[in-house]
Amino acid sequence: MTSVNDDSRVGAAHVGRLLGMALLRIRAEILATTSERFPGLRVSHYRLLELIPPDGARITDLAEIATMTKQGLGQHVDYLQRLGYTTSERLPEDRRVRLVRRTPLGDEALAYSQAAIARVEERWSRQLGPDRYESFRQTLRELGAD
Amino acid sequence: MTSVNDDSRVGAAHVGRLLGMALLRIRAEILATTSERFPGLRVSHYRLLELIPPDGARITDLAEIATMTKQGLGQHVDYLQRLGYTTSERLPEDRRVRLVRRTPLGDEALAYSQAAIARVEERWSRQLGPDRYESFRQTLRELGAD
DNA sequence: TATTGTTATACTCTATAACTATA
DNA sequence: TATAGTTATAGAGTATAACAATA
């Protein structure tokens, strides 16, 4: 009775579980290589830092890009701003709007997380060979765009 | 300023985002095809139903298989039991142990979610062709086992 | 003493509803 | 009135700590 289902083996796992395991690895790699240098930043914050263009963006636009509510996104922005990773200012021509920008510290944190992702991509590319890895990425792109 | 980063395009998305998008599709497909028939069951519950072998399992073992704490897993088991998808009984030979089993309703719900996953797999297999799809699955297996 | 499972509590992520300030 | 953003609240998922019952 303490045995597990056959499906719990990696070989028989369904595609949802396989995708989930791969995703967990990336998240773990990001945190492992950033958490000491940028304590308090979590994966969700790196995702938001990635979405901010160099000249800044409005909360409403970021929320749409992130497919989140502006309330939820605003909470992350407040958090990042408190820690010094973003700044924001009201637009003079429309003072309802808050333009959010990364600080230099935010740029640095983003570069770190992108380097972590790049390391995973390089490891996977070495493991599979560049052709198979590029083919894997291409498949993911097609499945995401269907 | 309302433009988005280049990386927000699917084509340039990093592998973490690509994996996340594919995973969201599967989760949405499971819920879309089960929520009417099994209201109250969420994706996390289907995952747990999958892990229970036909002859039952202990909470501690399920927690290990699921890589969750036994507290967290026990909460899901309580929920499923309240809705009639699982039952449990203390073992006579060790009354600390609760043996968790799926009910016939739990079997039915599990079959439904597995059918939903199978439909995604078939759709993806048609979309990519069976060879490319099997190669994609094989790559995911290798990345999950590294 | 060690193990199984529970209770209490908290954190993360995200959502909905109601609101304020500005246009 | 409409829009940008905020405040308040809640639910989903999961974690840690302290505990009770049993071995």
Side-chain angles (χ1 to χ4, degrees):
Chain A
M1 83 187 62
T2 55
S3 71
V4 298
N5 258 343
D6 281 352
D7 284 353
S8 67
R9 286 180 291 108
V10 169
H14 64 63
V15 69
R17 178 121 58 246
L18 292 172
L19 288 165
M21 289 169 66
L23 197 53
L24 280 176
R25 276 171 195 277
I26 292 184
R27 296 176 59 90
E29 176 83 17
I30 292 174
L31 284 181
T33 59
T34 58
S35 63
E36 192 178 343
R37 176 120 180 193
F38 302 106
L41 284 192
R42 301 185 296 266
V43 173
S44 61
H45 303 134
Y46 289 112
R47 179 172 177 244
L48 173 49
L49 288 174
E50 286 172 31
L51 296 179
I52 301 172
D55 51 350
R58 310 184 318 158
I59 298 220
T60 300
D61 293 334
L62 288 174
E64 192 187 342
I65 300 166
T67 53
M68 285 177 62
T69 59
K70 55 189 183 173
Q71 296 96 312
L73 193 121
Q75 222 173 306
H76 281 315
V77 166
D78 290 344
Y79 182 88
L80 289 170
Q81 186 158 330
R82 238 181 304 125
L83 295 183
Y85 294 99
T86 58
T87 48
S88 61
E89 49 176 330
R90 298 282 170 174
L91 285 187
E93 65 268 30
D94 184 346
R95 300 204 18 258
R96 293 172 303 178
V97 173
R98 224 174 109 191
L99 190 69
V100 181
R101 285 193 181 86
R102 276 193 306 271
T103 61
L105 181 63
D107 291 335
E108 202 191 332
L110 175 57
Y112 249 66
S113 76
Q114 288 179 330
I117 292 164
R119 272 192 300 279
V120 176
E121 301 232 28
E122 282 156 26
R123 178 151 48 84
W124 284 355
S125 183
R126 262 199 316 279
Q127 184 179 341
L128 299 167
D131 288 355
R132 278 185 72 205
Y133 185 63
E134 186 38 54
S135 153
F136 171 67
R137 281 186 50 101
Q138 175 58 26
T139 296
L140 281 173
R141 280 192 291 269
E142 289 178 38
L143 294 180
D146 73 357
Chain B
M1 80 185 66
T2 55
S3 71
V4 298
N5 258 343
D6 282 352
D7 285 352
S8 68
R9 287 180 291 107
V10 169
H14 64 61
V15 68
R17 179 121 57 248
L18 292 173
L19 287 165
M21 290 169 65
L23 197 52
L24 281 177
R25 276 171 195 277
I26 292 183
R27 296 175 61 91
E29 176 83 16
I30 292 173
L31 284 182
T33 59
T34 57
S35 63
E36 191 178 343
R37 175 117 179 194
F38 302 105
L41 284 191
R42 302 185 293 268
V43 173
S44 60
H45 303 134
Y46 289 113
R47 177 170 178 248
L48 173 48
L49 288 175
E50 286 172 30
L51 295 178
I52 302 173
D55 50 350
R58 309 183 320 157
I59 298 221
T60 300
D61 292 334
L62 288 174
E64 192 188 342
I65 300 166
T67 55
M68 286 177 60
T69 60
K70 55 189 183 172
Q71 296 96 313
L73 192 122
Q75 222 172 305
H76 281 315
V77 166
D78 289 344
Y79 183 88
L80 289 171
Q81 186 158 331
R82 237 180 304 124
L83 294 184
Y85 295 99
T86 58
T87 49
S88 62
E89 49 176 331
R90 299 284 169 173
L91 285 187
E93 66 267 30
D94 183 345
R95 300 205 17 256
R96 294 172 304 180
V97 173
R98 221 174 110 192
L99 190 69
V100 181
R101 286 193 180 86
R102 276 193 306 271
T103 60
L105 182 63
D107 290 336
E108 202 192 333
L110 175 58
Y112 248 66
S113 77
Q114 288 180 329
I117 292 164
R119 273 192 299 279
V120 176
E121 300 231 29
E122 281 157 27
R123 177 152 49 84
W124 284 356
S125 184
R126 263 199 315 278
Q127 183 179 339
L128 298 167
D131 288 355
R132 278 185 73 205
Y133 185 64
E134 185 38 54
S135 154
F136 172 68
R137 280 186 52 100
Q138 174 58 28
T139 296
L140 281 174
R141 279 192 291 267
E142 288 178 37
L143 295 180
D146 72 358

